[in-house]
Amino acid sequence: MNRVDELAQRLVQHVEQTAQRIAALHVHGAPSSAIQAHFSQLLKGKLGFREEVVLTPQEGLVTQARPDFIFTLDPGRGVLAEVERGGATTNNHDLKDLWKAHVAVDAQHLFLMVPKNNWRSDGSPREKPFPLVARRLGAFFGDPRREIDVVSVHVFGY
């Protein structure tokens, strides 16, 4: 967990230090690939995450799950990182990302980057995904009946 927390802290610092750049990229109609490329500079370029890697297949489970980023902590241990934009809650991408982490045999932690606001074409806020995602994913922790095979989830608002 210490290593995961260190990585999370570096990501928090990155979001804070590049907030103006992120705001310029996260505008109505902009491609989500621009946001992913921005986070790739830190995750892949400086922290050693790998990008767009298909997860290890499991017997009995047919999936070609491919997170945006993955970081290997130890053999069979790792962190998935997903960058969401418009569909974080409207298309349940946050829950799909949690499912990816749940079924991954080589990752037990999830970093999820979601917008604080999504925008309309006139520049006004359309929705606020960050608090909703934090609440939805938090529901999977704290009650043994709802627990999943994910040790930690860090939600980063940009």
Side-chain angles (χ1 to χ4, degrees):
M1 274 310 300
N2 289 337
R3 184 68 178 125
V4 173
D5 288 341
E6 289 171 14
L7 293 168
Q9 188 55 45
R10 292 279 306 272
L11 190 49
V12 167
Q13 291 169 351
H14 180 74
V15 170
E16 290 171 352
Q17 292 169 354
T18 63
Q20 288 183 327
R21 176 72 182 131
I22 293 171
L25 294 170
H26 180 54
V27 295
H28 180 77
S32 58
S33 60
I35 298 291
Q36 183 171 330
H38 174 78
F39 283 105
S40 181
Q41 293 170 6
L42 173 74
L43 295 171
K44 185 178 173 189
K46 295 180 181 172
L47 298 181
F49 279 74
R50 293 174 294 143
E51 196 166 6
E52 303 286 345
V53 174
V54 176
L55 296 176
T56 303
Q58 298 178 60
E59 188 166 329
L61 184 62
V62 179
T63 179
Q64 291 293 317
R66 187 190 62 194
D68 295 334
F69 302 94
I70 187 167
F71 181 86
T72 302
L73 295 163
D74 287 312
R77 308 292 297 169
V79 180
L80 302 185
E82 295 282 358
V83 180
E84 295 303 341
R85 218 170 88 99
T89 57
T90 55
N91 292 329
N92 293 317
H93 289 306
D94 59 337
L95 298 175
K96 293 174 190 174
D97 295 336
L98 184 65
W99 176 84
K100 265 187 237 180
H102 173 66
V103 301
V105 295
D106 38 12
Q108 298 74 32
H109 305 273
L110 175 63
F111 287 1
L112 186 58
M113 285 130 292
V114 297
K116 292 178 184 173
N117 288 298
N118 279 326
W119 309 104
R120 292 187 174 99
S121 59
D122 67 3
S124 63
R126 169 171 65 89
E127 63 183 357
K128 297 178 185 293
F130 176 76
L132 181 56
V133 167
R135 188 173 67 248
R136 284 168 39 140
L137 298 187
F140 289 94
F141 298 89
D143 183 334
R145 193 174 91 53
R146 294 189 312 258
E147 286 182 0
I148 55 175
D149 187 24
V150 176
V151 175
S152 71
V153 174
H154 291 74
V155 182
F156 305 88
Y158 65 84

